[in-house]
Amino acid sequence: MDQLLIEKFRNRINETEYAWKTFSNVKGRNQWNCICSAMDWITVAVNGIDFMHGMSGIRHGSEKTFDVLTLIMRIALIKEGIEQLHRVLYGTSEQYRKDDKIVWNGDPFGQTDNEYFEILRACFGAHPINLKGFTNSNMRQFASWPFMGTNGFSVFLYPSNSEEENLILSISFEQLEKYALLRYQHLTDMIQIIEQGNLCVRRMREVETSI
């Protein structure tokens, strides 16, 4: 993941006073602060991110499990940061890529990409001991400690209902990377918005100096 992209975005944001003047007071709301927070957390999340394509064997209790959780949390920060920047720069309340079914279009629960990502985040470390029933809303599910299974890095989902069977949920690191990149690369579009605003500021300066 190219860290230069978020650095380019930050440089464009700070190039002129356009962004600060435009977003520091939008109907009484300081959206400039939101931009600064999003830039900082995206930068931290992207710095040194490892999609773990080379991970193989894993034993019970391995610290690699927490490396996977760290990766998922990094992606969650990128996702949220991009969504906030999109909301501010596009002046919308719509969530970016809300209804996408591109990355996990064959997932076993029939969810959107965002919903399925939240399932993975929950099961692989965010709150694995207290999960809602993904196949039956009337029960709870509990995730096992992750293990390396036939389909890769996986967990068992144990049901609270004695009549239900265990499920296996697996992670594809390639799909996680695709999910993250689809959001992160939206910075390219938002850079263009900022560049247009900066251009207007520079032209106004030229007019003022020519008078």
Side-chain angles (χ1 to χ4, degrees):
M1 186 170 281
D2 184 9
Q3 189 169 1
L4 293 178
L5 185 56
I6 183 61
E7 292 177 2
K8 181 178 180 180
F9 179 83
R10 186 186 295 274
N11 289 337
R12 293 296 181 271
I13 282 284
N14 294 316
E15 193 170 276
T16 73
E17 67 272 23
Y18 162 74
W20 177 79
K21 284 188 174 180
T22 301
F23 300 108
S24 60
N25 188 347
V26 180
K27 298 180 180 179
R29 300 179 66 183
N30 192 330
Q31 295 181 334
W32 169 252
N33 289 341
C34 179
I35 291 174
C36 293
S37 175
M39 288 193 300
D40 287 349
W41 281 103
I42 292 171
T43 300
V44 170
V46 171
N47 183 23
I49 193 169
D50 178 9
F51 286 97
M52 308 182 72
H53 296 308
M55 192 173 75
S56 54
I58 183 170
R59 54 183 173 79
H60 186 76
S62 171
E63 291 185 1
K64 288 184 179 180
T65 295
F66 292 101
D67 292 338
V68 174
L69 177 57
T70 298
L71 169 61
I72 292 173
M73 296 306 295
R74 284 176 182 264
I75 295 172
L77 287 169
I78 293 168
K79 168 187 176 291
E80 184 174 359
I82 294 299
E83 287 175 353
Q84 288 288 66
L85 291 175
H86 176 85
R87 180 179 63 81
V88 171
L89 296 181
Y90 286 81
T92 180
S93 60
E94 288 293 317
Q95 183 184 33
Y96 181 62
R97 290 190 173 275
K98 177 183 177 182
D99 299 318
D100 272 14
K101 290 187 177 181
I102 298 172
V103 180
W104 292 290
N105 57 357
D107 80 80
F109 308 118
Q111 308 275 16
T112 66
D113 286 345
N114 282 344
E115 290 168 337
Y116 193 67
F117 174 74
E118 289 304 314
I119 289 175
L120 294 176
R121 188 173 72 90
C123 293
F124 285 87
H127 46 90
I129 309 168
N130 185 21
L131 301 166
K132 67 179 182 179
F134 302 121
T135 56
N136 182 346
S137 60
N138 294 320
M139 71 175 186
R140 309 297 292 178
Q141 287 178 298
F142 316 100
S144 69
W145 184 266
F147 61 95
M148 190 60 69
T150 304
N151 295 320
F153 199 66
S154 308
V155 292
F156 284 113
L157 294 180
Y158 306 127
S160 62
N161 188 334
S162 59
E163 297 180 356
E164 297 281 344
E165 295 183 355
N166 295 341
L167 297 176
I168 294 179
L169 185 67
S170 302
I171 275 185
S172 162
F173 295 110
E174 288 79 9
Q175 288 175 324
L176 282 177
E177 183 174 15
K178 181 178 180 180
Y179 178 81
L181 284 173
L182 281 171
R183 282 143 185 82
Y184 183 63
Q185 290 171 347
H186 187 37
L187 283 172
T188 301
D189 305 317
M190 293 188 280
I191 285 171
Q192 293 178 359
I193 293 175
I194 298 301
E195 286 178 339
Q196 291 172 2
N198 289 341
L199 179 61
C200 290
V201 169
R202 286 193 291 269
R203 285 176 175 173
M204 288 178 62
R205 287 175 180 170
E206 291 172 359
V207 170
E208 290 171 355
T209 55
S210 65
I211 295 176

